[in-house]
Amino acid sequence: MDAQHRLIDDGAVAVRGERIVGVGKRANIDKQFQAAHRLDRPEALLMPGLINTHTHAAMSLLRGIADDLHLQDWLEKYIFPAEAKNVTPDFVLWGTRLACLEMMLSGTTTFVDMYYFEDRVAQATKEAGMRGVLGETILKFKSPDSATPADALALTERFLREYRGDSLIVAAPAPHAIYTNDDATLRNARKLADKYGVPLVIHLSETKRENDDSIQTRGMTPTRLLDILGVLNGPTIAAHGVWLDDRDMQILKAHGTGIAHCPSSNMKLASGVAPVVKLLNLGITVGVGTDGPAGSNNDFDLMEEMNLAADLQKVSTGDPTVLNAEQAVAMATIAGARVAGLEKEIGSLESGKRADLIALRLDRPHAVPLYNVYSQIVYALKGSDVQDVVVNGRAIVRDGRSLTLDQTLVLSKAKEYAAKVVASLK
Amino acid sequence: MDAQHRLIDDGAVAVRGERIVGVGKRANIDKQFQAAHRLDRPEALLMPGLINTHTHAAMSLLRGIADDLHLQDWLEKYIFPAEAKNVTPDFVLWGTRLACLEMMLSGTTTFVDMYYFEDRVAQATKEAGMRGVLGETILKFKSPDSATPADALALTERFLREYRGDSLIVAAPAPHAIYTNDDATLRNARKLADKYGVPLVIHLSETKRENDDSIQTRGMTPTRLLDILGVLNGPTIAAHGVWLDDRDMQILKAHGTGIAHCPSSNMKLASGVAPVVKLLNLGITVGVGTDGPAGSNNDFDLMEEMNLAADLQKVSTGDPTVLNAEQAVAMATIAGARVAGLEKEIGSLESGKRADLIALRLDRPHAVPLYNVYSQIVYALKGSDVQDVVVNGRAIVRDGRSLTLDQTLVLSKAKEYAAKVVASLK
């Protein structure tokens, strides 16, 4: 995923501290470096760690609580009541630990999040040894962690200050969407992002209803509204973008806004099909995301999202040649890094970049034979083929097991929280 | 997946010989039976084995050889030349062994196949200990195993005779499609199926082009043509059914034809979206299938197809409540059994049925918490969660490893064949 999209047979990656210091043929790397520690994976593929550009990690504790429902019923009858009664700092901490376990074991090294008590998300992410662009949610109404938008902005600023300069965490303001925020708060969130030099995270044109309501009440699309308010004047991670029109796309292109495409979620919630081929043709950066696991997915498997991103564009455009496997891999790695504002640090295996990489096993029946590496990754390999994961130079998964989080403890705690959630909804 | 769709907490299944003799609470089963062998899986879900209603198993050896292409280019430039130069009885034998390994390890116990040298498919399937409805391909032109349609019919009849009464294999005639067969051969294939009391396997209305050509050259849709020829007068497994119109659906309903829905394939090849919700509402039986792994999928993971079957209907109808998780599980089990003509023998865990069952692990991060069993199976669990597989009372997978096929040997042979394929296309 460097500029030449080089594929290296019998290759090796040399890591010193937090960074990659050599990528090339194994024989050359062996000559050039003396390894203190060495991991041989002759039957695996080394590639950049996957980047999940849109999650609500802690919602792992609500995985599958309410499926096959209309979005409004789902939110109002299940998710909002469950969140109001259950989301505490500890809920978020344990939920994110569970999510990080699942993400690391399926090859994700960086995720872009949006939730409440995001400082606890940061805590769990650092414990896991993962990288995160972590968006503290800002709403115009009371949320689990803030009584007012002013409180949310103040909480967000404390969070941004705390994690300034962190090597793993980028703390970000995340105004939830245009329909859940007033204009002044949206503007203030942008100012906060600019003050700390971080991206702003927001949902954008996820559903037809969001667009229709915006046009009816504001006389313009959500993208035009954000443009007029100046919210797009700076790095922005916009999730979904299903209902963007041509003029919206021009606006997003002009501002360099990154799109987090979430095919599972858009399909499962029947939100629609994002115009990804059009966005890519315009040169807009598009990554892939899983969205949250409580009704819209229900997992954090980015290997599946890569496959779906390709297949959904093919069937919706009627053209099997669009969004090919190589593009899908790029979306989940280097393009995801661009969406997250981290393309100078991650997204490819190149000397000087942070050492975020994964090894995928090629020794299982579904991985054989191997005619084309990109095809295999996108259309055949699974999250469960992830053998090793390194983030920032640190091994966090070895042979399919987490080295950083205590899986037995996390699963047991997750079950405790689920029992509380069930009791709270009775 | 019995008539009541019973879910049993802390349950057990008792097996004697090839059949299930008890299903219920573990305490009751323990009282009722003295187990000679016992497998305890306290953190797993027991369910009927998955039924893949459409595959070309041996094409595993061509997995990912040519992707992201128009169907015509894919077939004419890659698949047909590769098949003409490589498909021998041994190619089919080893390719099916590879496919069976992948299928059993991801929870499939029965598959409906269509390929050449189908007696070798049967041999590999029996070695694997799996169940198959195995369709010998009949074409109007020369194929890898038959010079003429008459040869193909004769070969098919020998195959049907050989496997009559087999406890694992149903041998079937498989005229490839209307556009690759003349009317007389289609009629003769039906006669052969009737003579041996087996289903007929065929592709039906997979692409818009198939339908357009049929209307242009024959003045009617493929379904109407099959109806007029009498081909649907008996058990029929029709793969795809993407472009069926309302009148076609009435014809299929009247004949009790089963549909093999292949969402990955239909998406990846941009064939279109099958009207599954309409078919189900009409009472037509629809199972799920992976299709072949050479360009149209590229794997045999039925857990993914269940998820996609649900999600694709939701996004294409704009209604997230359609094709819910319980229906998706039914499609992959009891409905698949109906499509295959085996609903009296398999597809549910009930006393008297063949013991075809799988255990899915519930102790991994993506399987926790568990609020709803159907949601978990369809939207969160993976093929790699399959821990144990029993077919016809025989354990063929234990703790994620095949007990019947030699994985090291099969993968090594698959790589040899792939090298030959690459050389043959130079």
Side-chain angles (χ1 to χ4, degrees):
Chain A
M1 284 297 137
D2 60 11
Q4 293 78 42
H5 281 204
R6 274 191 308 159
L7 295 174
I8 305 169
D9 274 329
D10 202 13
V13 176
V15 174
R16 185 179 294 136
E18 299 178 351
R19 296 194 183 265
I20 295 171
V21 291
V23 178
K25 283 277 183 196
R26 189 164 55 94
N28 295 338
I29 296 292
D30 272 343
K31 267 184 226 156
Q32 219 180 325
F33 300 93
Q34 295 254 336
H37 304 284
R38 186 189 177 93
L39 186 64
D40 285 311
R41 289 288 181 249
E43 288 214 82
L45 171 78
L46 290 188
M47 65 176 283
L50 305 179
I51 298 170
N52 186 342
T53 55
H54 185 58
T55 63
H56 308 285
M59 291 180 86
S60 62
L61 294 179
L62 304 174
R63 181 198 312 280
I65 197 170
D67 288 307
D68 306 318
L69 295 168
H70 287 288
L71 184 70
Q72 234 37 39
D73 288 345
W74 172 69
L75 270 176
E76 289 166 13
K77 293 189 188 160
Y78 296 90
I79 300 303
F80 287 158
E83 288 188 335
K85 289 174 182 163
N86 292 283
V87 175
T88 61
D90 273 357
F91 178 99
V92 171
L93 183 62
W94 286 102
T96 308
R97 285 171 175 151
L98 177 62
C100 283
L101 262 178
E102 186 186 338
M103 285 194 273
M104 69 168 77
L105 294 176
S106 54
T108 293
T109 52
T110 296
F111 66 105
V112 177
D113 198 61
M114 179 197 281
Y115 210 56
Y116 312 104
F117 301 111
E118 201 71 21
D119 57 330
R120 303 308 167 102
V121 177
Q123 181 187 336
T125 306
K126 282 184 78 83
E127 284 173 11
M130 291 179 68
R131 196 180 299 287
V133 176
L134 306 180
E136 169 63 35
T137 302
I138 300 165
L139 292 170
K140 68 181 168 190
F141 36 76
K142 188 179 180 318
S143 81
D145 65 11
S146 302
T148 67
D151 287 351
L153 283 163
L155 179 71
T156 302
E157 181 153 15
R158 286 196 300 277
F159 176 51
L160 267 58
R161 206 178 296 130
E162 185 183 350
Y163 281 93
R164 194 146 50 165
D166 193 278
S167 65
L168 288 173
I169 306 298
V170 176
H176 172 271
I178 61 151
Y179 59 93
T180 45
N181 278 284
D182 51 51
D183 294 354
T185 308
L186 289 168
R187 282 203 194 93
N188 285 329
R190 176 78 265 165
K191 282 185 198 151
L192 210 49
D194 292 346
K195 181 173 170 187
Y196 290 85
V198 295
L200 177 146
V201 179
I202 193 164
H203 291 111
L204 180 63
S205 285
E206 177 177 5
T207 64
K208 185 160 187 301
R209 180 172 164 175
E210 175 184 342
N211 262 41
D212 289 350
D213 286 356
S214 175
I215 289 163
Q216 203 178 0
T217 61
R218 308 298 302 257
M220 64 190 88
T221 66
T223 299
R224 248 103 76 198
L225 180 62
L226 289 179
D227 186 28
I228 284 172
L229 295 175
V231 175
L232 299 175
N233 294 336
T236 304
I237 303 167
H240 300 297
V242 172
W243 294 91
L244 301 171
D245 66 21
D246 288 346
R247 206 172 133 202
D248 291 339
M249 294 189 215
Q250 291 301 340
I251 292 170
L252 297 172
K253 182 183 160 77
H255 288 291
T257 303
I259 304 293
H261 171 50
C262 304
S264 280
S265 171
N266 299 160
M267 291 178 78
K268 182 156 184 286
L269 297 174
S271 304
V273 179
V276 174
V277 171
K278 262 192 165 178
L279 292 165
L280 293 175
N281 287 344
L282 285 168
I284 294 168
T285 305
V286 186
V288 284
T290 56
D291 206 351
S296 39
N297 195 319
N298 300 343
D299 58 46
F300 295 100
D301 188 336
L302 216 63
M303 298 289 288
E304 285 183 2
E305 300 302 322
M306 259 196 279
N307 192 340
L308 267 186
D311 285 358
L312 185 56
Q313 291 302 304
K314 292 172 194 299
V315 74
S316 64
T317 62
D319 183 351
T321 69
V322 301
L323 221 169
N324 66 32
E326 188 169 344
Q327 284 178 294
V329 174
M331 283 173 71
T333 55
I334 187 65
R338 271 185 216 114
V339 170
L342 294 168
E343 71 275 17
K344 289 181 185 159
E345 296 285 358
I346 59 171
S348 59
L349 299 186
E350 295 181 82
S351 284
K353 281 202 170 179
R354 300 269 174 186
D356 288 14
L357 53 94
I358 62 175
L360 288 168
R361 300 177 61 143
L362 296 173
D363 59 354
R364 288 175 171 160
H366 59 269
V368 176
L370 172 58
Y371 291 103
N372 178 297
V373 166
Y374 293 114
S375 274
Q376 210 80 334
I377 296 170
V378 175
Y379 303 124
L381 298 185
K382 310 292 168 202
S384 51
D385 293 321
V386 171
Q387 189 168 11
D388 307 281
V389 179
V390 172
V391 177
N392 214 40
R394 176 188 184 196
I396 66 169
V397 172
R398 175 73 43 94
D399 268 326
R401 289 173 182 278
S402 170
L403 300 173
T404 51
L405 294 174
D406 178 342
Q407 179 164 319
T408 308
L409 178 64
V410 172
L411 298 196
S412 138
K413 276 284 183 182
K415 288 173 190 173
E416 275 178 35
Y417 277 101
K420 281 186 207 169
V421 168
V422 169
S424 79
L425 292 178
K426 270 178 185 159
Chain B
M1 284 296 137
D2 60 12
Q4 294 78 43
H5 282 204
R6 273 192 307 158
L7 296 174
I8 304 169
D9 274 329
D10 202 11
V13 175
V15 174
R16 185 179 295 137
E18 300 178 348
R19 297 195 181 264
I20 295 170
V21 290
V23 179
K25 283 278 182 193
R26 188 164 56 96
N28 295 337
I29 296 292
D30 272 343
K31 266 185 225 156
Q32 218 180 326
F33 300 94
Q34 295 255 337
H37 304 282
R38 185 187 177 95
L39 186 65
D40 285 310
R41 288 289 181 248
E43 288 215 83
L45 172 77
L46 291 187
M47 64 176 283
L50 304 179
I51 298 170
N52 186 341
T53 55
H54 186 58
T55 64
H56 307 285
M59 292 182 86
S60 62
L61 293 178
L62 303 174
R63 181 197 311 281
I65 197 169
D67 288 307
D68 306 318
L69 295 168
H70 286 289
L71 184 70
Q72 232 40 35
D73 288 345
W74 173 69
L75 270 176
E76 289 166 14
K77 293 189 188 159
Y78 296 90
I79 300 303
F80 287 158
E83 288 187 335
K85 289 173 182 163
N86 292 282
V87 175
T88 61
D90 272 356
F91 178 99
V92 171
L93 183 62
W94 286 102
T96 308
R97 283 171 177 152
L98 177 63
C100 283
L101 261 178
E102 186 185 340
M103 285 193 273
M104 71 169 76
L105 294 176
S106 54
T108 293
T109 51
T110 296
F111 65 106
V112 178
D113 197 60
M114 179 196 282
Y115 209 56
Y116 313 104
F117 302 110
E118 200 70 23
D119 57 330
R120 303 308 166 102
V121 177
Q123 182 187 335
T125 305
K126 282 183 78 84
E127 284 173 12
M130 290 178 67
R131 196 180 297 288
V133 176
L134 306 180
E136 169 63 36
T137 301
I138 300 165
L139 293 171
K140 67 181 168 190
F141 35 78
K142 188 178 179 318
S143 82
D145 65 10
S146 303
T148 66
D151 287 353
L153 283 163
L155 178 72
T156 302
E157 181 153 17
R158 286 196 299 277
F159 177 51
L160 267 56
R161 206 179 296 129
E162 185 184 350
Y163 280 93
R164 194 146 48 162
D166 194 278
S167 65
L168 288 172
I169 306 298
V170 176
H176 173 271
I178 61 150
Y179 58 95
T180 44
N181 278 285
D182 51 50
D183 294 355
T185 309
L186 289 168
R187 281 203 195 94
N188 285 330
R190 177 78 266 165
K191 281 186 198 149
L192 210 50
D194 292 346
K195 182 173 169 187
Y196 289 86
V198 296
L200 177 146
V201 180
I202 192 163
H203 292 111
L204 180 64
S205 285
E206 177 177 5
T207 65
K208 185 162 187 300
R209 181 172 164 175
E210 175 184 342
N211 263 40
D212 289 350
D213 286 355
S214 175
I215 289 163
Q216 204 178 358
T217 61
R218 309 297 302 257
M220 64 190 87
T221 65
T223 299
R224 247 101 80 197
L225 180 62
L226 290 179
D227 186 29
I228 284 172
L229 295 174
V231 175
L232 299 175
N233 295 336
T236 304
I237 302 167
H240 300 297
V242 172
W243 292 91
L244 300 172
D245 66 20
D246 287 346
R247 208 173 132 200
D248 291 340
M249 294 190 216
Q250 291 301 339
I251 291 170
L252 297 172
K253 183 184 160 76
H255 288 290
T257 303
I259 304 293
H261 171 50
C262 304
S264 280
S265 171
N266 298 159
M267 291 178 77
K268 183 156 182 287
L269 297 174
S271 305
V273 179
V276 174
V277 171
K278 262 192 166 180
L279 291 166
L280 292 176
N281 286 344
L282 285 168
I284 294 169
T285 305
V286 186
V288 284
T290 56
D291 207 351
S296 39
N297 194 318
N298 300 341
D299 58 47
F300 295 100
D301 187 336
L302 216 64
M303 298 289 287
E304 285 183 1
E305 300 302 322
M306 259 196 281
N307 193 340
L308 267 186
D311 285 359
L312 185 56
Q313 290 302 304
K314 292 172 194 298
V315 73
S316 63
T317 62
D319 183 350
T321 68
V322 302
L323 221 168
N324 66 34
E326 188 169 343
Q327 285 178 293
V329 173
M331 284 174 69
T333 54
I334 187 66
R338 271 185 216 114
V339 170
L342 294 168
E343 71 274 18
K344 288 180 186 161
E345 296 285 0
I346 58 171
S348 60
L349 300 186
E350 295 181 82
S351 284
K353 282 202 170 179
R354 300 267 174 188
D356 287 14
L357 53 95
I358 62 175
L360 288 168
R361 299 176 61 142
L362 296 173
D363 59 353
R364 288 174 172 160
H366 59 269
V368 176
L370 172 58
Y371 291 103
N372 178 297
V373 166
Y374 294 114
S375 275
Q376 210 80 336
I377 296 170
V378 175
Y379 303 124
L381 298 185
K382 311 292 168 201
S384 51
D385 293 320
V386 171
Q387 188 167 10
D388 306 281
V389 179
V390 172
V391 178
N392 214 40
R394 176 188 184 195
I396 65 169
V397 172
R398 173 74 42 93
D399 268 326
R401 289 172 183 278
S402 170
L403 300 174
T404 51
L405 294 173
D406 178 343
Q407 179 164 320
T408 308
L409 178 64
V410 172
L411 297 196
S412 140
K413 275 284 182 182
K415 288 173 190 174
E416 275 179 35
Y417 277 100
K420 282 186 206 168
V421 168
V422 169
S424 79
L425 292 178
K426 270 181 185 156

